[in-house]
Amino acid sequence: MRWLPQRRVSSSTPFSKFRRGFSLIQTCGLVNVKLKGVKDKELDAVVAREKHLKAVCNLVSIISSSHDKKAPIFHLNTHRGQLGLPEKLKLSAFLRRYPNIFVEGSCRDTAGTRVPCFGLTPEAIDLYREEVGVMRVNEEDVLSRLCKLLMMTSERTLPLHSVDHLRWDLGLPFDYKGSLIRNRQDLFCLVELSSDLVGLKLLHWDERLAVSHLQQRKDDVSDRMAFPVKFTRGFGLKRKSMEWLQEWQRLPYTSPYVDASHLDPRTDLSEKRNVGVFHELLHLTIGKKMERKNVSNLRKPFAMPQKFTKVFERHPGIFYISMKCDTQTVILREGYDRRQLLERHPLVDIREKFVNMMNEGRVDRSRGMYKKSVEAVLGKKSGKITYPDWSEEEEEEESENYGISRYDSDCPVVEDICMVGQRPRWQ
């Protein structure tokens, strides 16, 4: 293992000597240290609890934005890429998992075929309105998060699809392009990028926002700031690894809001800057976590080296990677005390209520309460009704023809009756 030479710089040190010490740091390569991660059951539980929460909230927003507050299944399927659901999971079957959130009826498509149509229960509508109110009250906070995200890029610009990937984590509204960007043309504009993509550009630099979360917390104005480190209980750190970590923490801190093009990407100094970028990015999220795949396309905008996400594995005391829900979720350790989020954004409480509704709906369905409510409304006059048995592991083949009623091949079929429970009849 190679050790990184250090040189302490006082205020009286001549600039020439500082440059000599700085170049000494720059010429030293990246120390090859591998810290083996340990599973954190508490943080894994945080990720597992929110399984499919993003999909449910997005569907609620899509249905609420429809002119008549309901949407046919073929319309919802056009937004499937934003839901993050398994490819083989049928969307109609997913919606029926939560009968206390989504109300099912039927409508006719352009060919006159009856297809499933979904609306929202009164409880879901009330919760969505509460969410809209929270968004409205915290609009300035949302704007500052988006501005800081763009300020961290080299040209204050991000491809719009990259912002879409981070929208949920940053707490942006589902229709942020119309509700935020269009209404704040003094701050943002859409530009055409060289790759034939549309980009979101920040028009004005705000020096007040160009302060990282780590800089706000530190009273010391020195540039040698250390990141908070918290290891999983039972994590064994070797003596040499501990010594390297202590030396690494004493390296100068480079703010993610300043130009770092002078840093050699093959050095520990550059790696500390990369850690600082993700440390700040995770602090901008309302849940202090995000999926790893959502940052994979940020290398060029953030001026990162190749394989830049390796910093997550190299610094398990700062970041934790959860493998739950068939994805990799990067969590900022300092943001949590066991399962509790320390800084709770008001939007987090709204999402917690949605999680509780999802759990209640699935429990009620498993107990047969959904089936009983159907029979109570339809009675015996409609003939025999057959309900499919559903389990968490079930994967249903998605129909490729969105215009016919094959969507409903696994639901009860009752002629001329389009009500289930308290469902309205949609024609």
Side-chain angles (χ1 to χ4, degrees), residues 282-283 285-290 330-332 335-336 341 343:
L282 285 167
H283 265 295
T285 64
I286 64 174
K288 303 301 179 283
K289 64 183 186 301
M290 63 174 55
V330 182
I331 305 175
L332 188 64
Y336 286 84
L341 184 64
E343 297 179 9

Side-chain angles (χ1 to χ4, degrees), residues 133-170:
V134 169
M135 290 280 193
R136 187 179 299 111
V137 172
N138 295 273
E139 182 175 339
E140 290 301 320
D141 173 72
V142 172
L143 285 172
S144 66
R145 291 172 188 268
L146 184 56
C147 289
K148 288 170 76 74
L149 172 67
L150 297 174
M151 289 170 63
M152 285 197 294
T153 64
S154 56
E155 298 180 358
R156 301 204 305 270
T157 304
L158 264 182
L160 207 53
H161 69 84
S162 297
V163 182
D164 289 340
H165 292 161
L166 300 174
R167 178 197 63 80
W168 169 261
D169 299 312
L170 294 175

Side-chain angles (χ1 to χ4, degrees), residues 371 375 383-389 409-414:
K371 177 178 179 179
E375 293 175 341
K384 185 178 180 181
I385 302 174
T386 305
Y387 293 83
D389 293 329
S409 59
D410 59 345
C411 74
V413 177
V414 181

Side-chain angles (χ1 to χ4, degrees), residues 225 227 248-249 251-252 268-276:
M225 290 182 287
F227 297 100
W248 182 87
Q249 288 275 39
L251 288 174
D268 276 358
L269 186 63
S270 176
E271 185 181 76
K272 186 167 184 179
R273 181 259 176 184
N274 298 338
V275 171

